[in-house]
Amino acid sequence: MVDKQKIDVKNIPVDVHVYRPDTPAKYASRDRIYVRAVKGLHQSLRRNMGFVFMALFFVLPWLQFDGHQAILLNIVEQKFTIFGLTLWPQDFTLLAWIFIIAAYALFFVTTFYGRVWCGYLCPQSVWTFIFMWFEEKIQGTRNQRMTLDQAPMSASKFWKKALTHFCWVAFALFTSLIFVGYFTPIAPLFWDFFTLQAGFWAVVSVLFFTVCTYGNAGWMREIMCTHICPYARFQSAMFDKDTYTVTYDERRGENRGPRSRKDQHYKEQGLGDCIDCNLCVHVCPTGIDIRNGLQYECINCGACIDACDDTMEKMGYPKGLISYTTEHTLQGKPAKVLRPKLIGYFLVLLVVCAAFVVNLTIRKPLELDIIRDRGALYRETPEGLIENTYTLSIINKSQQEKTFMLAVTGIDQLNWAGPQQVVLAGGESRNVVVSLSLDPFYAKKPVLDLTFSVTDSADPAVTMSQENKFFAGR
């Protein structure tokens, strides 16, 4: 017989004590970031790239192609013109492929070189740097702007602040007019807006984007990058130890401390190459200290690299204390450029690019949709024939005038009533009403199959067919 062991029973208190702070939590208000101007290789590259793509943004809607605006995304007419290509709602799969390509291109670049998109080409960053340029030219350097903000209001301060905000609003308005000009003819938009003849929605759209641009680039700035943009949150999923990011070489830089330029024995004092000048913090548009390690606020603009390289050059030290490098490189290990994640993103990018090209190639500059008469499936004519009525919706997706031939097959002895040739201008759509009649003697079944076809008279290879039904009524 097995002895039973007695288990002691303990009373466990069930009272829950909630400890509350004596005072409510206080959240620190946002400190304004005064960005210091810096020159260097990376900032020259960023400015030049921003200038090129901004010039494209401003110029493209003004270009003319074959007698029309080269790029016009007409939402009202649901017709999107891109040079020689006209897209309709039926072509939204192409737009989906473009977004997929852009996403995987961003993933590929981020895995290889970090958030360079944010630092060099993101519209939020580009417009923010432009607004900062206005600030610097009107209000002065970083220290002068800080002094100006701390000074009491005066005529000089009011004038500088007013001129700064006027330039911000003017540039935001110009930007908004250009942006809205992608969705409505841009030349009439400018004229009508400034002569107060523009339509309600055009004015609302321009003013809305003006306020958004002014608020984002003038006031919110780094808040968009650190709190609103989702890219900063999921970017770490694409990083690995071989991703090139802006990084501070802690082994070389620590311990930090000021010293004279002539002091060549600083290492004997336990100091590293970092002289703790804080210029890397002063030039950062998001206000972080890169020496604290990789942070999601970093947009990889390289401003801290240029500032640090300039300091190292003045001190007579080697450049590269802050640089684009990998974690493996800092650990003394070789960086692997070709790795499974990067290759995977590249292969997927090739596949989606190929899918886009295939879809664009097989796309026909013609669309056909058939709508039956909803009032009656069929009717009997005075001559004793059975008649079905159809509406053929034809869209000429090309930008040239086309002549289309209409035909029907599948049933013998059909009588056609309606136009069999339609001339459509480029981008025009038209509904063509067609009536088909049949002698009941030839109707072998109550429902017969037929096929409508629309063919380009100049190019028979461009044809569109669609099946439908003919109701014989017995």
Side-chain angles (χ1 to χ4, degrees):
M1 183 173 182
V2 181
D3 293 335
K4 296 182 178 179
Q5 297 180 353
K6 185 178 180 181
I7 301 176
D8 295 334
V9 178
K10 295 181 179 180
N11 292 325
I12 301 176
V14 295
D15 294 337
V16 178
H17 298 281
V18 179
Y19 297 93
R20 301 182 183 277
D22 296 333
T23 57
K26 295 182 179 180
Y27 298 92
S29 60
R30 171 203 178 204
D31 294 329
R32 182 176 180 184
I33 299 175
Y34 295 89
V35 180
R36 180 171 181 165
V38 61
K39 296 181 180 180
L41 173 64
H42 300 90
Q43 297 317 291
S44 296
L45 179 62
R46 178 188 59 77
R47 292 189 185 98
N48 291 335
M49 292 179 65
F51 176 79
V52 170
F53 283 93
M54 185 181 299
L56 288 175
F57 170 77
F58 286 140
V59 170
L60 282 178
W62 294 98
L63 297 181
Q64 296 291 312
F65 181 85
D66 199 17
H68 59 79
Q69 187 170 318
I71 299 180
L72 182 58
L73 312 177
N74 196 323
I75 296 178
V76 177
E77 297 182 4
Q78 297 183 346
K79 183 172 65 174
F80 310 98
T81 303
I82 305 175
F83 289 92
L85 180 66
T86 301
L87 300 178
W88 297 81
Q90 296 87 344
D91 300 313
F92 272 0
T93 52
L94 294 175
L95 183 61
W97 283 118
I98 292 175
F99 286 144
I100 294 173
I101 291 172
Y104 276 100
L106 183 61
F107 298 161
F108 174 77
V109 172
T110 302
T111 302
F112 179 64
Y113 231 78
R115 291 181 63 185
V116 289
W117 158 260
C118 296
Y120 289 80
L121 292 178
C122 175
Q124 172 68 22
S125 299
V126 172
W127 261 255
T128 296
F129 281 118
I130 293 174
F131 277 43
M132 288 179 182
W133 180 85
F134 280 118
E135 270 187 338
E136 183 182 0
K137 296 301 179 183
I138 297 173
Q139 300 181 24
T141 63
R142 177 179 184 270
N143 291 335
Q144 290 174 333
R145 297 198 302 272
M146 295 174 66
T147 303
L148 181 67
D149 284 348
Q150 295 172 359
M153 182 58 68
S154 62
S156 176
K157 180 176 180 178
F158 177 82
W159 164 251
K160 291 180 179 179
K161 290 290 185 179
L163 182 58
T164 300
H165 287 277
F166 173 79
C167 292
W168 285 0
V169 172
F171 191 77
L173 177 61
F174 181 68
T175 297
S176 301
L177 285 167
I178 294 293
F179 181 74
V180 176
Y182 279 90
F183 301 91
T184 188
I186 191 168
L189 173 65
F190 267 76
W191 174 260
D192 293 343
F193 184 84
F194 289 108
T195 57
L196 305 179
Q197 297 178 6
F200 172 79
W201 288 113
V203 173
V204 169
S205 300
V206 170
L207 295 180
F208 173 77
F209 289 112
T210 298
V211 172
C212 289
T213 305
Y214 170 77
N216 290 346
W219 292 96
M220 300 186 70
R221 295 187 178 178
E222 78 283 354
I223 292 180
M224 294 295 297
C225 304
T226 58
H227 291 81
I228 298 177
C229 178
Y231 180 47
R233 299 296 178 176
F234 68 78
Q235 59 160 335
S236 59
M238 291 169 276
F239 282 14
D240 55 37
K241 294 185 177 181
D242 291 301
T243 299
Y244 285 87
T245 58
V246 175
T247 309
Y248 166 70
D249 190 347
E250 185 177 353
R251 293 188 301 176
R252 175 186 161 188
E254 300 297 324
N255 291 315
R256 314 171 196 170
R259 79 293 305 261
S260 170
R261 294 185 185 181
K262 299 179 181 180
D263 186 1
Q264 300 300 322
H265 304 286
Y266 61 93
K267 292 187 177 180
E268 297 176 1
Q269 305 171 20
L271 296 176
D273 285 356
C274 179
I275 66 172
D276 205 20
C277 63
N278 284 329
L279 286 180
C280 56
V281 180
H282 294 169
V283 301
C284 179
T286 58
I288 65 171
D289 189 342
I290 194 62
R291 295 171 296 182
N292 294 333
L294 180 62
Q295 299 150 72
Y296 77 90
E297 295 94 342
C298 178
I299 61 174
N300 270 27
C301 64
C304 55
I305 298 179
D306 291 332
C308 187
D309 283 349
D310 183 60
T311 300
M312 293 295 103
E313 185 177 9
K314 292 177 180 178
M315 295 297 296
Y317 302 162
K319 297 181 180 180
L321 180 59
I322 302 176
S323 63
Y324 283 103
T325 188
T326 69
E327 186 176 341
H328 276 159
T329 301
L330 290 178
Q331 295 173 355
K333 301 177 182 179
K336 298 178 181 178
V337 176
L338 298 178
R339 50 197 188 275
K341 181 188 290 188
L342 190 65
I343 295 175
Y345 281 134
F346 181 71
L347 292 178
V348 174
L349 183 59
L350 288 181
V351 171
V352 294
C353 286
F356 171 75
V357 173
V358 170
N359 277 268
L360 187 61
T361 303
I362 64 176
R363 172 185 178 272
K364 293 184 178 180
L366 169 64
E367 187 70 28
L368 171 64
D369 190 22
I370 301 175
I371 305 171
R372 291 188 54 87
D373 185 1
R374 301 300 183 184
L377 294 178
Y378 68 93
R379 72 182 186 91
E380 294 186 6
T381 66
E383 294 81 12
L385 303 178
I386 301 174
E387 184 181 66
N388 284 208
T389 302
Y390 307 83
T391 300
L392 278 61
S393 179
I394 307 171
I395 302 177
N396 178 13
K397 292 183 177 181
S398 70
Q399 297 179 358
Q400 294 79 34
E401 183 180 278
K402 298 285 186 179
T403 300
F404 296 105
M405 308 303 296
L406 313 182
V408 63
T409 57
I411 303 176
D412 297 331
Q413 308 299 327
L414 269 179
N415 300 311
W416 178 291
Q420 290 188 282
Q421 177 176 302
V422 178
V423 179
L424 298 181
E428 182 183 359
S429 62
R430 186 181 304 174
N431 292 331
V432 179
V433 179
V434 173
S435 295
L436 302 179
S437 57
L438 179 68
D439 191 320
F441 177 78
Y442 299 103
K444 306 300 182 183
K445 296 186 297 183
V447 180
L448 305 175
D449 295 326
L450 52 78
T451 302
F452 286 96
S453 62
V454 178
T455 305
D456 185 354
S457 61
D459 185 4
V462 178
T463 182
M464 181 70 67
S465 301
Q466 190 174 120
E467 296 181 352
N468 213 292
K469 303 292 184 180
F470 182 92
F471 290 90
R474 64 185 182 90

